[in-house]
Amino acid sequence: MTQEHPKSIIVIFGATGDLAKRKLFPSIYRLVQNEKIGKNFAVVGVARRPWTTDEFRSNVSDSIQSSMKESKDLEEFTSHFYYHPFDVTNPSSYLELNGLLTELDGTYQTEGNRIFYLAMAPEFFGTIAQNLKKEGLTDTNGWSRLVIEKPFGHDLPSARKLNQEIREAFNENQIYRIDHYLGKEMVQNIEVIRFANALFEPLWNNRYISNIQVTSSEILGVEDRGRYYENSGALRDMVQNHMLQMVALLAMEPPIKLTTDEIRSEKVKVLRALRAVAEDEVSQYFIRGQYGAGQLEDKQLVAYRDENNVDDNSQTETYVAGKLLIDNFRWAGVPFYIRTGKRMAAKSTKIVVQFKDIPMNLYYKKGETVPPNLLIIHIQPEEGITLQLNAKKDEDESGISKPVKLDLSNNFLDGINTPEAYEKLIYDCMRGDATNFTHWDEVALSWSFVDPISEAWTKGKAALASYPSGSMGPKEADDLLKEDGNQWWPVN
Ligand code: BG6
């Protein structure tokens, strides 16, 4: 049975920005090329700049050409794009926009369905949502949905305020809060690996698992986002959302059904079971670091404090490592270690599940330990899983086992054609599937966990470690695991 193509107008606020250009236009293009959406769609770009529709279309074309190997049917594709110069605080801007949307609804037969995608400065999220309702843009025969990019607030109080403003205009089930990690193929596969394999689920608990490590390292520095990043840091930028979402998926109980509500409610339970870290204990559980100058391959890299729009004495962390404990029956006593940072040695997102040691060592020399079994879930850049086992090599007379890898990386899935995270998320939103978006309860719980940590850091209650650009982070992060008798497993 072929599924009916979703029909909708997508209004992108911030259409002249980087996200639209790098991710959104190419994703919509791929959806069309892959026949996920048909002819019944239009994209309206709104932003302050006084562009014309022609200028906008040529910008869309450039974006596709620079990001895709093939770019056929571009003219037909861009003919669905329209531009509307916009002032977010001016009611007449909304009225004019509504006129254009009504017209396009007729042209493209989109049945009154509208997605309002906020890909712009967060200070306007509330204003825009409220004006959309006030000026009647959400009042159609079809559905209206609001897609919101991060950051969703800066801490719990600001997130709560933003949520209230948005909720005055949209119901929770119309709000799609993006966490693009949830659109990644292998993040979505965490549940499948766990719940579709008899091999793993029985072992997925504190009886058999020693610890779980989630690493998301980047080679890039802060680039031209100094102004944003100075007020964010790695904790708000990566931990509050992406890292905690991955922990929730790794730790949740099997949902009774694969519905949005059931999955979310299991994730929420994990976030509720996260052991809160009090301000005075932060340095026992979390390490913050900032990159200094360094070298990667033959490139010299400047220190964070020498980047544009960064304070010379900045205390902002570009790296976080932490130990999380989940106080429930399944996970009591199992540390979840997370680490993320910029200007590290590798671009890599990986999950390593370390199983407990076997009870007796038959195959290793006295005093040596048998390497543990590891399940590695490769999220990016390669995708797949590796299982590290121990086996004897035939030619080895010593009877000693060696670690061997059962490797399903790269060819596990048809890696090359794996859709972009944004492609999946836009498609999900068009179909009304909110499973891979963050519910307000998840956002609130994540901020409650993270806030005392940033408070402690703001008050200078923990040292800011330095690490050279191009390294895997500060030594203090290794010590965090060493204290538990553990070590970070390499990500390369
Ligand atoms: C974003 C952060 O949410 O995620 C960026 O704001 C970060 O700072 C990015 O670089 C990482 O995403 P990915 O998909 O490249 O791992």
Side-chain angles (χ1 to χ4, degrees):
M1 196 182 80
T2 51
Q3 224 187 353
E4 207 189 322
H5 291 140
K7 299 170 184 174
S8 173
I9 300 180
I10 306 174
V11 185
I12 302 179
F13 291 80
T16 54
D18 204 43
L19 181 80
K21 189 166 181 161
R22 279 190 310 117
K23 301 286 185 192
L24 306 186
F25 305 150
S27 297
I28 299 171
Y29 178 75
R30 287 177 58 137
L31 285 173
V32 173
Q33 290 299 313
N34 295 334
E35 296 179 21
K36 296 273 177 59
I37 52 183
K39 302 264 178 237
N40 304 97
F41 82 97
V43 178
V44 179
V46 300
R48 241 184 340 216
R49 280 183 223 178
W51 279 5
T52 61
T53 286
D54 280 346
E55 277 171 288
F56 183 50
R57 287 180 181 174
S58 95
N59 193 271
V60 174
S61 277
D62 290 348
S63 129
I64 312 293
Q65 276 163 336
S66 59
S67 60
M68 311 281 304
K69 278 206 204 92
E70 256 189 68
S71 48
K72 58 179 172 120
D73 306 329
L74 259 190
E75 213 165 306
E76 152 63 18
F77 176 69
T78 56
S79 71
H80 290 253
F81 284 67
Y82 297 80
Y83 187 77
H84 185 72
F86 200 78
D87 172 359
V88 291
T89 54
N90 185 349
S92 64
S93 272
Y94 292 84
L95 292 175
E96 286 160 22
L97 177 62
N98 204 10
L100 175 61
L101 298 185
T102 309
E103 186 190 318
L104 294 176
D105 192 32
T107 315
Y108 292 96
Q109 299 288 297
T110 46
E111 298 175 353
N113 298 333
R114 294 176 177 180
I115 292 177
F116 299 100
Y117 195 125
L118 309 190
M120 56 178 310
E123 62 259 37
F124 297 117
F125 288 173
T127 313
I128 295 173
Q130 288 176 344
N131 279 324
L132 287 173
K133 172 149 177 153
K134 204 156 94 213
E135 305 306 334
L137 281 81
T138 54
D139 191 11
T140 69
N141 297 333
W143 45 255
S144 297
R145 296 179 184 143
L146 185 72
V147 180
I148 300 201
E149 274 294 332
K150 65 180 266 270
F152 199 93
H154 185 252
D155 51 14
L156 183 57
S158 59
R160 204 175 262 146
K161 180 167 172 285
L162 171 60
N163 201 49
Q164 272 159 4
E165 288 167 5
I166 292 169
R167 285 295 307 275
E168 281 170 28
F170 291 85
N171 296 327
E172 178 65 31
N173 63 12
Q174 293 177 289
I175 303 173
Y176 289 68
R177 297 179 194 81
I178 294 258
D179 181 319
H180 78 282
Y181 268 55
L182 296 181
K184 292 185 192 282
E185 185 70 14
M186 287 309 295
V187 172
Q188 298 190 351
N189 253 294
I190 294 173
E191 285 170 77
V192 186
I193 291 166
R194 287 190 53 196
F195 304 136
N197 291 295
L199 197 59
F200 298 126
E201 195 47 31
L203 307 182
W204 211 262
N205 55 53
N206 52 10
R207 269 192 292 159
Y208 300 102
I209 289 179
S210 146
N211 68 86
I212 296 187
Q213 307 180 4
V214 185
T215 300
S216 191
S217 60
E218 292 185 79
I219 289 178
L220 290 180
V222 71
E223 303 200 284
D224 53 2
R225 294 164 76 215
R227 201 162 287 136
Y228 153 77
Y229 202 82
E230 274 287 88
N231 290 312
S232 157
L235 187 70
R236 294 187 173 98
D237 189 47
M238 292 290 291
V239 175
Q240 184 271 340
N241 37 61
H242 312 319
M243 303 302 279
L244 289 184
Q245 283 292 326
M246 287 191 281
V247 168
L249 289 167
L250 286 162
M252 70 192 241
E253 293 300 314
I256 53 173
K257 270 191 270 161
L258 286 179
T259 58
T260 305
D261 286 350
E262 296 300 344
I263 293 174
R264 279 174 163 177
S265 104
E266 295 305 338
K267 284 166 68 191
V268 163
K269 278 192 218 157
V270 174
L271 297 171
R272 285 174 52 195
L274 271 184
R275 187 180 303 174
V277 181
E279 267 182 42
D280 288 330
E281 303 168 339
V282 166
S283 48
Q284 291 165 41
Y285 291 93
F286 277 83
I287 303 297
R288 58 172 174 158
Q290 189 187 72
Y291 61 82
Q295 190 171 350
L296 191 67
E297 287 160 3
D298 45 10
K299 224 170 126 198
Q300 296 298 327
L301 304 167
V302 299
Y304 175 69
R305 289 179 187 173
D306 293 327
E307 302 273 20
N308 284 341
N309 296 319
V310 170
D311 193 292
D312 291 347
N313 289 313
S314 171
Q315 295 296 305
T316 302
E317 78 288 352
T318 59
Y319 174 99
V320 175
K323 167 173 155 179
L324 277 55
L325 295 169
I326 298 171
D327 288 328
N328 64 19
F329 254 60
R330 188 187 282 264
W331 294 117
V334 179
F336 282 66
Y337 301 113
I338 57 169
R339 61 177 166 166
T340 180
K342 295 208 179 277
R343 280 281 186 250
M344 292 174 67
K347 169 76 183 168
S348 172
T349 304
K350 273 196 181 63
I351 293 159
V352 181
V353 179
Q354 178 178 342
F355 290 90
K356 284 193 171 163
D357 292 339
I358 44 168
M360 202 177 120
N361 175 357
L362 292 174
Y363 296 100
Y364 265 65
K365 290 197 200 101
K366 213 168 171 207
E368 286 183 10
T369 45
V370 182
N373 290 145
L374 303 176
L375 168 67
I376 305 165
I377 305 178
H378 308 263
I379 309 280
Q380 64 182 17
E382 71 273 26
E383 300 180 323
I385 58 174
T386 304
L387 198 53
Q388 182 173 296
L389 308 167
N390 292 299
K392 191 179 92 60
K393 288 258 169 71
D394 204 27
E395 69 272 21
D396 193 337
E397 307 273 298
S398 63
I400 288 176
S401 70
K402 295 235 158 53
V404 292
K405 284 184 174 159
L406 202 63
D407 201 346
L408 294 169
S409 300
N410 286 330
N411 52 8
F412 171 54
L413 294 157
D414 188 2
I416 305 156
N417 286 319
T418 302
E420 267 270 359
Y422 274 96
E423 184 182 340
K424 291 191 197 210
L425 295 175
I426 294 171
Y427 186 54
D428 282 355
C429 176
M430 291 180 94
R431 291 180 307 151
D433 180 353
T435 313
N436 292 312
F437 293 82
T438 19
H439 187 275
W440 164 246
D441 293 346
E442 296 169 68
V443 175
L445 286 162
S446 302
W447 279 124
S448 321
F449 178 74
V450 155
D451 280 353
I453 303 166
S454 41
E455 272 292 299
W457 288 350
T458 311
K459 292 180 186 158
K461 286 195 178 174
L464 176 66
S466 176
Y467 61 100
S469 288
S471 70
M472 275 315 281
K475 181 188 144 299
E476 286 81 346
D478 297 340
D479 299 340
L480 183 73
L481 273 66
K482 234 185 246 165
E483 277 168 26
D484 298 339
N486 292 324
Q487 65 175 94
W488 292 107
W489 296 102
V491 295
N492 286 328

